[in-house]
Amino acid sequence: MKDLYGFRIVEELQKIDEHIQKDQLKYHHKRVLVSKSFTFDAAHHLHAYEGKCKNLHGHTYEVIFGISGYTDDRGIVVDFANIKQLWKEEIEIHLDHKYINETLPPMNTTAENIVVWVYEKMKEALVDSPQQLKVEYVKLYETPTSFAEVRREWMEDE
């Protein structure tokens, strides 16, 4: 190994069955939370509301998912690419660059209503997951400083 300006250059990458065994990849049997965030742009307006938001306007929303599960034999709870695929195919198609008053179920398109819908859609998408995946929380930022959040315990207690 060479040390160049305080950085170590790895000369040989670890190889399975040579440096590490397959049964060593899974380090534990604990539930772990992984998170992934996405953004989308959408237009909406609020009903029965007196203020600027009663007019048609748009936001760049940010959604953050917290998903928990048990690691597989590789030590992975869920591939981040799989979360992205579910987001794209099951949820984002209803939201991104849409007038969400039309594309969501009948509701006032508040952050509080949208975040529950997003939670329900992701929960539905994870039903048959082999790692017993659970949506632990969803945060929906309407602006960089304003968000609504739901948590699994709240959704299951109601």
Side-chain angles (χ1 to χ4, degrees):
M1 289 180 222
K2 297 178 183 172
D3 192 338
L4 185 63
Y5 304 108
F7 296 99
R8 190 175 131 252
I9 308 285
V10 176
E11 293 182 6
E12 183 181 6
L13 294 179
Q14 279 190 353
K15 296 181 181 122
I16 291 218
D17 297 327
E18 188 176 325
H19 300 102
I20 188 169
Q21 302 304 308
K22 288 181 182 169
D23 65 350
Q24 293 176 301
L25 299 177
K26 182 174 180 144
Y27 178 72
H28 61 85
H29 300 284
K30 306 291 183 195
R31 182 172 281 278
V32 175
L33 178 84
V34 296
S35 296
K36 184 137 178 79
S37 67
F38 303 96
T39 60
F40 66 93
D41 296 297
H44 79 132
H45 66 93
L46 298 180
H47 300 284
Y49 181 83
E50 288 306 316
K52 292 193 282 185
C53 294
K54 72 179 179 181
N55 299 314
L56 180 65
H57 64 284
H59 297 283
T60 297
Y61 292 89
E62 180 182 13
V63 176
I64 303 173
F65 292 100
I67 297 172
S68 74
Y70 294 96
T71 58
D72 63 15
D73 291 339
R74 302 167 300 165
I76 297 172
V77 170
V78 59
D79 192 316
F80 290 112
N82 292 351
I83 299 172
K84 182 178 181 178
Q85 181 180 1
L86 292 174
W87 162 255
K88 292 262 181 214
E89 294 176 0
E90 304 294 331
I91 304 169
E92 184 189 54
I93 58 171
H94 302 283
L95 302 171
D96 193 37
H97 286 82
K98 305 287 186 183
Y99 170 48
I100 57 177
N101 292 68
E102 291 179 342
T103 60
L104 292 179
M107 68 171 77
N108 208 8
T109 53
T110 63
E112 297 90 336
N113 282 338
I114 299 167
V115 75
V116 169
W117 180 85
V118 170
Y119 175 95
E120 292 169 344
K121 293 295 279 184
M122 183 58 83
K123 180 181 178 185
E124 185 181 302
L126 296 175
V127 162
D128 296 323
S129 61
Q131 267 44 4
Q132 301 173 26
L133 298 176
K134 295 182 179 182
V135 181
E136 296 294 340
Y137 72 86
V138 177
K139 289 184 181 182
L140 176 69
Y141 282 84
E142 191 171 86
T143 72
T145 61
S146 303
F147 67 92
E149 177 177 356
V150 291
R151 298 180 186 172
R152 180 172 57 89
E153 60 266 25
W154 301 341
M155 297 295 286
E156 293 180 357
D157 285 347
E158 302 296 315

